[in-house]
């Protein structure tokens, strides 16, 4: 998988575009006064750069070097700075309670690994901080407008609710949203949106 993503991101074009995910953009007010933000599975950096331009101190985590390089280039283009960290979220570690908030947009992991990744993201955020995510639901298979083509790489809403039972759910949505993000996320999609307070 590493080779696939390295190859996918090893282009001059930003395959998911340079603009932030619509959910992150619409709900960025939820991150007000939360200075240090971690962006997990951030790919080419579009969300991280948007948050940096909004005044946040952003650190991105991804395991694909070509994506991290493009994040740095996009930051330079927008006259902001973000810190990049190369890490495999399945096997590597993340800082403990170092961030005020964390985001993940369309982070694709096998079902057997999804909760482990979720727990690592939670671990990185200080008590009182927030976690924001937009993910493809299992129903996305019927839409064919982006994301994995395998059920095991998509998310089940009830699973996410179960993972969040000990936290305050600020926002939870399951349903259709239009996404125009570069060449690979285009059209009506079926997503899960989550904001929780740790």
């Amino acid at each position: 998988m590493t080779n696939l993503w390295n190859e996918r991101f090893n282009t001059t074009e930003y395959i998911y575009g340079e603009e932030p995910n619509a959910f992150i953009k619409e709900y960025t007010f939820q991150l007000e006064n939360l200075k240090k933000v971690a962006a997990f599975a951030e790919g080419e950096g579009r969300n991280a750069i948007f948050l940096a331009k909004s005044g946040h101190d952003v650190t991105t985590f991804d395991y694909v070097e070509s994506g991290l390089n493009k994040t740095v280039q996009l930051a330079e283009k927008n006259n902001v700075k973000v810190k990049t960290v190369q890490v495999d979220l399945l096997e590597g570690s993340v800082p403990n309670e170092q961030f005020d908030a964390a985001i993940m947009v369309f982070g694709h992991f096998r079902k057997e690994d999804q909760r482990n990744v979720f727990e690592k993201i939670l671990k990185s955020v200080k008590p009182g901080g927030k976690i924001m995510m937009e993910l493809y639901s299992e129903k996305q298979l019927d839409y064919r407008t982006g994301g994995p083509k395998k059920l095991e790489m998509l998310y089940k809403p009830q699973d996410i609710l179960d993972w969040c039972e000990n936290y305050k759910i600020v926002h939870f949505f399951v349903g259709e949203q239009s996404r125009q993000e570069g060449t690979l996320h285009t059209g009506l999609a079926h997503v899960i949106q989550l904001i929780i307070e740790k």
Side-chain angles (χ1 to χ4, degrees), residues 66-90:
S66 57
L68 294 171
N69 290 339
K70 289 174 82 172
T71 297
V72 172
Q73 293 168 14
L74 191 59
E76 291 174 352
K77 179 178 177 180
N78 285 274
N79 297 312
V80 295
K81 289 187 178 181
V82 299
K83 182 180 179 183
T84 59
V85 178
Q86 186 171 13
V87 64
D88 183 340
L89 289 176
L90 301 183

Side-chain angles (χ1 to χ4, degrees), residues 8-45:
R8 181 170 287 184
F9 290 150
N10 194 21
T11 62
T12 54
E13 174 194 9
Y14 281 76
I15 60 172
Y16 295 111
E18 298 183 21
E19 296 301 313
N21 168 264
F23 169 63
I24 297 297
K25 186 174 183 179
E26 182 179 358
Y27 283 88
T28 187
F29 70 91
Q30 288 283 351
L31 302 180
E32 190 175 353
N33 300 320
L34 300 176
K35 182 70 172 175
K36 293 185 66 176
V37 179
F40 289 95
E42 176 56 10
E44 301 167 303

Side-chain angles (χ1 to χ4, degrees), residues 143-179:
Y143 288 72
R144 304 173 186 271
T145 53
K149 306 297 189 288
K150 296 180 180 179
L151 190 68
E152 69 166 0
M153 300 292 288
L154 299 169
Y155 291 81
K156 188 174 181 179
Q158 188 59 53
D159 287 346
I160 295 175
L161 285 173
D162 290 345
W163 304 339
C164 296
E165 63 182 352
N166 295 322
Y167 305 98
K168 177 182 176 182
I169 297 178
V170 177
H171 171 87
F172 189 81
F173 169 84
V174 181
E176 293 183 338
Q177 292 286 296
S178 179
R179 292 290 172 259

